[in-house]
Amino acid sequence: MTVFRSLLIVSALLSVVSCVRPPDDGDTGLTLAATLGGADTAGYARATEVRTFVFPGDHGPHPEFRTEWWYATGHLESEAGRRFGYQFTLFRSALAPGAIDSPSAWATKQAYMGHFAISDIDGSGFVARERFARGAAGLAGARAEPLKVWLESWALDGSGSGDGFPFTLVAEDDSIAIDLVLSEGKGIVLNGDRGLSQKGPEPGNASYYYSLPRMPTTGSVRVGSEKFDVVGESWLDREWSTSLLGDSQVGWDWFSLQLDDGRELMVFRIRRADGSAAAESEGVLIHADARTTRLAWGTDIQVEELSSWKAPDGKAEYPSRWIVRIPEEQLELEVEPFLEDQELRLAFRYWEGAVRVTGSGPTGAVAGRGYVELTGYGGSGPNWR
């Protein structure tokens, strides 16, 4: 499916409704790889060179680029020890470049999609929801100062202080809800080359990308009729681009791991159609003192798949357990999902889930938690394998 057709379907839906539920089987045929590909870039800015990041402004939107997201995951625990993982993502997608030339409150060139999921590790399993809305008439939107990104009642809000922190996250649906406060914590990490993250071989197939890898988090989680006061830690990613993946690339595997010794690890593998890793695949090790070490795929960092999991409908099969090695650090980590089925069968089909980390380093045992995202393993169109 081409980028144009994917966006055309989403645009048509958004022209008549502000909230869309996917089919029961979640198989719309839309693919993240196609939607984030390199076509239809005329009129948009592109990520081609290192830039200076300015905060709090860069927490807000960059409408000159075609695609952007605010993405948070985290691990939370109630006072009684019940464990939860959560994912909260707001996507902005431009339907056409340039400024709006109409005074109508309904005029917009922006569409928004939200994904929200809870992994109830000790309880009822995994639940995922999505919403769509046009960026008009107050239904959805984004602003920089004070920061707020929203899609109906789902919102990331940083308007509490001049620097944007803390952030609040709120999202609710019929069976799940979160109301969380995320403090700055360890601070901002620029990924790739000073925040320029190359994803494909062609010039401009890149993003501007930064993370807040360890944000102390408090608030509440609701599952069904039960509400829990929780504490924990979150990881926030910010990324914007006009095109990411090249024609030969079908998806990615992404890891964000928080180790109990105060270090964090982010690594992504961009997958080609033959299953091999693109040269742009890489990672970053964030040390306890916030220093960073950039990691080249295959040499500085190695990832071995140990097992797989097949979706109940048989339409997708994902890696499900890994060994992650960083030889220079004498670090070997086993990464395993808390729950096997954490597949989002929504308009875009992918696996995104809470994972546990065990392993060893030069001074002994290592443990931690994190999230893994796997795209391009199922559905229809160019991602099918």
Side-chain angles (χ1 to χ4, degrees), residues 225-260:
S225 61
E226 294 184 276
K227 185 176 180 180
F228 304 87
D229 293 330
V230 293
V231 297
E233 292 179 323
S234 297
W235 180 301
L236 180 76
D237 265 11
R238 283 285 291 111
E239 201 160 1
W240 59 93
S241 69
T242 288
S243 57
L244 282 180
L245 303 184
D247 292 340
S248 66
Q249 299 170 335
V250 298
W252 62 82
D253 306 345
W254 174 88
F255 299 75
S256 64
L257 309 179
Q258 298 166 322
L259 305 182
D260 291 347

Side-chain angles (χ1 to χ4, degrees), residues 1-247:
M1 178 174 289
T2 65
V3 173
F4 176 77
R5 186 178 170 200
S6 297
L7 292 179
L8 184 63
I9 291 171
V10 174
S11 175
L13 290 170
L14 291 172
S15 68
V16 295
V17 296
S18 63
C19 183
V20 177
R21 293 281 185 263
D24 290 340
D25 64 0
D27 188 7
T28 64
L30 301 184
T31 61
L32 282 170
T35 302
L36 298 176
D40 300 331
T41 61
Y44 294 103
R46 302 189 73 186
T48 57
E49 58 186 8
V50 173
R51 69 188 290 277
T52 299
F53 287 75
V54 179
F55 298 102
D58 274 328
H59 294 317
H62 302 80
E64 66 274 23
F65 291 83
R66 193 179 66 178
T67 305
E68 181 165 23
W69 55 79
W70 295 257
Y71 166 90
T73 58
H75 287 262
L76 308 168
E77 189 169 327
S78 73
E79 186 176 356
R82 187 156 169 177
R83 298 169 298 169
F84 303 93
Y86 82 90
Q87 176 207 353
F88 174 89
T89 313
L90 293 176
F91 303 87
R92 178 194 62 78
S93 181
L95 304 176
I100 300 170
D101 56 4
S102 169
S104 170
W106 287 96
T108 183
K109 292 185 177 181
Q110 304 297 329
Y112 287 82
M113 177 174 70
H115 286 180
F116 169 41
I118 292 289
S119 299
D120 186 358
I121 294 167
D122 301 311
S124 57
F126 180 75
V127 180
R129 296 288 185 263
E130 71 180 354
R131 289 185 178 184
F132 296 93
R134 293 167 53 83
L139 295 173
R143 67 175 187 237
E145 298 182 48
L147 173 67
K148 186 174 183 181
V149 188
W150 72 96
L151 197 170
E152 297 177 337
S153 60
W154 297 7
L156 181 154
D157 193 322
S159 60
S161 66
D163 63 1
F165 297 105
F167 293 159
T168 61
L169 294 181
V170 292
E172 49 71 33
D173 209 284
D174 53 354
S175 59
I176 54 174
I178 54 172
D179 188 343
L180 303 175
V181 177
L182 283 59
S183 300
E184 181 177 11
K186 200 166 185 177
I188 293 168
V189 173
L190 301 181
N191 297 306
D193 180 7
R194 293 162 287 174
L196 177 66
S197 180
Q198 193 71 31
K199 300 300 200 301
E202 300 84 3
N205 276 13
S207 67
Y208 292 115
Y209 180 17
Y210 70 86
S211 302
L212 285 146
R214 197 181 290 260
M215 304 184 76
T217 302
T218 61
S220 65
V221 171
R222 178 176 59 80
V223 178
S225 61
E226 294 184 276
K227 185 176 180 180
F228 304 87
D229 293 330
V230 293
V231 297
E233 292 179 323
S234 297
W235 180 301
L236 180 76
D237 265 11
R238 283 285 291 111
E239 201 160 1
W240 59 93
S241 69
T242 288
S243 57
L244 282 180
L245 303 184
D247 292 340

